[in-house]
Amino acid sequence: KLPPIEFVVDRSSFLVNRVIAGDLDCAFIVAEKKPRGVKVTHLWQDPIGIVGLKTKFAEISKAKTFADVKDLPWLVTDKEGSEPRARSGVVRDQVIFANSVIGVKDLVLAGVCIAEMHLNFFSPNELSQLVVAPFLHFSQAMDAYFIESQTARQVCKSVAEILKLVKATKNLAVKPR
């Protein structure tokens, strides 16, 4: 029987701090740099792009720099309660702020705004409706990690072992019967 498991959705930086503090045993995060102070299993590179609905924001595919898209309506996520991205050049009255990326893709798919987002958030069908700018502005390359506290319970160790097996066999295909 497994011990009680609590699932928490939060910003990666908050999850790392909670794992370090011992409030959480383990977490799945996405970060620009490998976190310190925790056991880390690298999962995959997480592609990011500036995306918009093709039928409304086709011009972002031809943009060369941020200056070419800064006047478009943007959705930006604040970073731990501040607004650093607005100070990065996005026109303030063209910005929708969000404190979480959960559900944000609906606004992009509805053509309300453009956003710099994890491309893995979108299904292949959804991605086919979007255009991706040929450059990044706010973020660098991101990677997905599984992190554990130094005193993680057995359930986290089991998850880590499963992840290692999945990673080792990721290129194998299962044939349908």
Side-chain angles (χ1 to χ4, degrees):
K1 182 177 176 184
L2 288 175
I5 297 174
E6 175 187 359
F7 290 95
V8 178
V9 177
D10 209 336
R11 294 182 136 324
S12 291
S13 60
F14 294 142
L15 293 174
V16 171
N17 290 337
R18 289 188 65 191
V19 169
I20 290 170
D23 296 336
L24 296 175
D25 292 312
C26 50
F28 292 95
I29 66 162
V30 176
E32 291 177 3
K33 296 178 185 172
K34 183 177 171 181
R36 297 176 189 219
V38 292
K39 295 178 190 174
V40 178
T41 302
H42 181 267
L43 301 175
W44 57 78
Q45 189 172 35
D46 197 23
I48 295 175
I50 297 172
V51 295
L53 191 64
K54 276 183 187 176
T55 57
K56 186 158 182 190
F57 299 108
E59 70 269 24
I60 70 172
S61 68
K62 296 179 180 119
K64 302 249 188 286
T65 67
F66 178 71
D68 298 329
V69 297
K70 73 178 182 66
D71 294 328
L72 295 173
W74 277 82
L75 185 130
V76 296
T77 55
D78 65 351
K79 212 168 202 173
E80 299 172 15
S82 63
E83 296 178 6
R85 295 179 176 187
R87 291 192 290 267
S88 297
V90 174
V91 177
R92 176 81 171 127
D93 61 358
Q94 291 282 68
V95 175
I96 300 168
F97 282 100
N99 64 1
S100 173
V101 294
I102 297 173
V104 164
K105 77 176 189 177
D106 292 335
L107 292 171
V108 170
L109 288 167
V112 173
C113 54
I114 65 172
E116 190 171 65
M117 296 188 66
H118 300 268
L119 300 181
N120 289 333
F121 282 172
F122 300 98
S123 70
N125 182 48
E126 290 168 336
L127 274 174
S128 72
Q129 300 171 50
L130 300 176
V131 62
V132 181
F135 65 92
L136 291 174
H137 180 64
F138 298 125
S139 300
Q140 303 302 312
M142 300 285 262
D143 290 285
Y145 299 98
F146 176 71
I147 60 170
E148 304 170 70
S149 70
Q150 300 301 328
T151 58
R153 295 180 298 163
Q154 183 58 43
V155 67
C156 288
K157 295 176 189 334
S158 298
V159 170
E161 288 303 312
I162 291 168
L163 289 171
K164 286 177 189 169
L165 289 172
V166 169
K167 218 173 150 183
T169 60
K170 73 176 184 177
N171 293 324
L172 297 179
V174 178
K175 294 182 182 178
R177 292 181 185 212

